Amino acid sequence: MENAIQVRNLTKKYKDFTLDNISFTLPSGTVMGLIGENGAGKSTLINAILGVSDAEYDQVALLGHDLRTQTKLAKEDVAAIFSDSHYDYGMTPLAVGEMLSRFFRNWDQQKYLGYLKRFHLPEKKRLKKFSTGMRVKLEFAAALSHNPKLLILDEATSGLDPVFRDEILDILREFTEEEDHAVLMSSHITSDLDKIADYIAYLHEGKLLFVKTYDDIRDNYGIITCGRQLFDALSRDDISAYRKEAYSYKILVNDRAKLRRIFPDIEMVPASVEDIMLFYVKGEKVK
């Protein structure tokens, strides 16, 4: 399977922040959720992958094309969507469509008009009179209408109501049914990623802590609440992180089935993506 994104050893340095030696791959036909607290470096990473900002790297390839030596080809079939529209607010959706038709060789005007209708966006209304949510809907309409193979979303669904977010997730799911399509989706709404992500990449303070399959998280990770005796009895290899509370420990474990076999009566619940994120940020590592 071809990788839609290949990143090796990407570093971006600012005066007070470093995106440090990031490497990952996104297989075609899949969705990767990029999570991390505000300031973790998610937007910095996305801008570097898109070539919007300079970064040091051994390799960045989009859809099999090297960003450094095949820049035009690398970006040809990529669409990026952000949390607000970057189009001139004096324009109308029809004017946006006319402009984009000149830039994209695969522009599909009928598809674009269809999305405007589907998203209830007035064709001749100026964007300055649109709500934030309406402008984001326009971003999706425009991005999907030049038939990209890779969608990169930077908190693009954060300003949308739950009903439309759910519709967008359905669209993204349909999009990746094509084996040569893929989505990289930065979002702090982890419940959206629970519905759609095949992979979760966790960025914390400029470092990529892990890339895991969603199935791994769903099937294997769990949370135990216990006393000191059980905490001490657990293998350190089974504990990803823990939090000491007043009278107990909350423990993030990485193999529920194994622990069930060893401790059949243990109280344990599955861990969500958000749970794992919170344990890694606010919890402690075993020594």
Side-chain angles (χ1 to χ4, degrees), residues 22-37:
I22 305 298
S23 297
F24 72 94
T25 58
L26 171 60
S28 295
T30 65
V31 177
M32 177 179 285
L34 179 61
I35 64 172
E37 66 277 11

Side-chain angles (χ1 to χ4, degrees), residues 44-213:
T44 300
L45 176 58
I46 285 174
N47 286 335
I49 291 171
L50 291 170
V52 174
S53 61
D54 293 330
E56 299 174 7
Y57 54 81
D58 290 339
Q59 181 188 33
V60 173
L62 304 178
L63 300 169
H65 301 295
D66 186 81
L67 183 64
R68 186 181 286 120
T69 61
Q70 300 172 295
T71 306
K72 185 176 180 181
L73 283 173
K75 296 182 178 183
E76 183 93 14
D77 293 316
V78 178
I81 307 174
F82 301 92
S83 59
D84 199 1
S85 176
H86 60 275
Y87 300 117
D88 188 316
Y89 282 12
M91 299 179 74
T92 66
L94 282 181
V96 169
E98 181 180 348
M99 176 186 69
L100 295 177
S101 68
R102 301 172 189 165
F103 290 114
F104 295 109
R105 60 180 175 83
N106 291 329
W107 182 258
D108 187 331
Q109 182 69 6
Q110 290 308 308
K111 178 181 282 191
Y112 178 66
L113 294 175
Y115 276 121
L116 294 183
K117 185 175 182 180
R118 178 175 178 176
F119 297 162
H120 305 291
L121 298 175
E123 298 176 354
K124 299 180 180 180
K125 190 173 184 177
R126 296 190 186 280
L127 301 191
K128 63 184 178 182
K129 296 184 178 179
F130 278 23
S131 66
T132 298
M134 292 171 71
R135 289 194 287 266
V136 175
K137 290 179 184 182
L138 179 65
E139 288 281 325
F140 275 96
L144 292 165
S145 296
H146 69 87
N147 297 307
K149 293 181 179 179
L150 173 61
L151 284 175
I152 298 179
L153 282 59
D154 188 4
E155 300 288 357
T157 60
S158 61
L160 301 174
D161 64 77
V163 173
F164 187 69
R165 280 209 331 270
D166 200 58
E167 183 178 356
I168 287 297
L169 296 182
D170 287 340
I171 290 172
L172 297 179
R173 196 174 292 111
E174 293 167 8
F175 179 81
T176 52
E177 287 176 359
E178 298 286 338
E179 292 187 359
D180 60 346
H181 289 180
V183 176
L184 175 63
M185 180 178 179
S186 162
S187 179
H188 67 271
I189 306 173
T190 56
S191 59
D192 285 353
L193 302 179
D194 286 327
K195 297 175 182 177
I196 194 173
D198 300 294
Y199 296 89
I200 298 293
Y202 181 26
L203 200 59
H204 175 61
E205 295 181 349
K207 296 182 182 296
L208 190 60
L209 295 188
F210 65 70
V211 177
K212 298 182 183 293
T213 67

Side-chain angles (χ1 to χ4, degrees), residues 35 190 193-194 200 214 217 271-278:
I35 64 172
T190 56
L193 302 179
D194 286 327
I200 298 293
Y214 184 79
I217 292 173
S272 67
V273 171
E274 184 172 349
D275 290 328
I276 293 175
M277 182 175 167
L278 290 173

